[in-house]
Amino acid sequence: MEPLFEAKALFEDQYALYNVHRLGQDKYKAQLVVSEDNDDETTPPKELVLIKKGGKWQTEDSKFAELGSTIGIDIDVFNNGYGALLGRIGNP
């Protein structure tokens, strides 16, 4: 399965790159793109399943909430475009 796009997210002061795949409506899988210079002490999760419930992104196992939310925003931008995101900035 080809990824839809790559998402970059901050994890413990380092950026992690994830390939994002669609599993279903409002359900996605993010797989870590492993690089050779990863520090074992701060390795981000290798895989996250993200689900959008009630308009908010969460991980399937409820771990790594901030990372899941960040990747979820990238999914929203991918699905809706930057214009839709920029139009919401400053609007509740």
Side-chain angles (χ1 to χ4, degrees):
M1 168 184 355
E2 288 292 316
L4 297 172
F5 65 95
E6 290 183 340
K8 185 187 283 188
L10 194 60
F11 181 81
E12 295 187 10
D13 297 326
Q14 293 184 345
Y15 283 100
L17 188 62
Y18 284 88
N19 284 327
V20 178
H21 305 268
R22 187 183 323 261
L23 299 178
Q25 184 166 345
D26 292 333
K27 188 172 183 179
Y28 294 80
K29 177 172 59 174
Q31 293 180 309
L32 181 65
V33 176
V34 180
S35 69
E36 294 178 14
D37 61 336
N38 274 355
D39 181 359
D40 288 338
E41 291 181 18
T42 60
T43 302
K46 293 185 185 334
E47 186 174 289
L48 292 170
V49 175
L50 301 142
I51 302 166
K52 191 171 192 178
K53 290 184 180 176
K56 295 187 180 193
W57 286 101
Q58 55 190 327
T59 58
E60 191 174 55
D61 60 4
S62 300
K63 294 182 180 179
F64 305 106
E66 188 173 334
L67 181 60
S69 177
T70 301
I71 295 172
I73 290 169
D74 283 353
I75 293 169
D76 284 338
V77 168
F78 175 81
N79 287 331
N80 300 314
Y82 284 101
L85 177 67
L86 292 174
R88 290 195 307 257
I89 292 175
N91 295 326

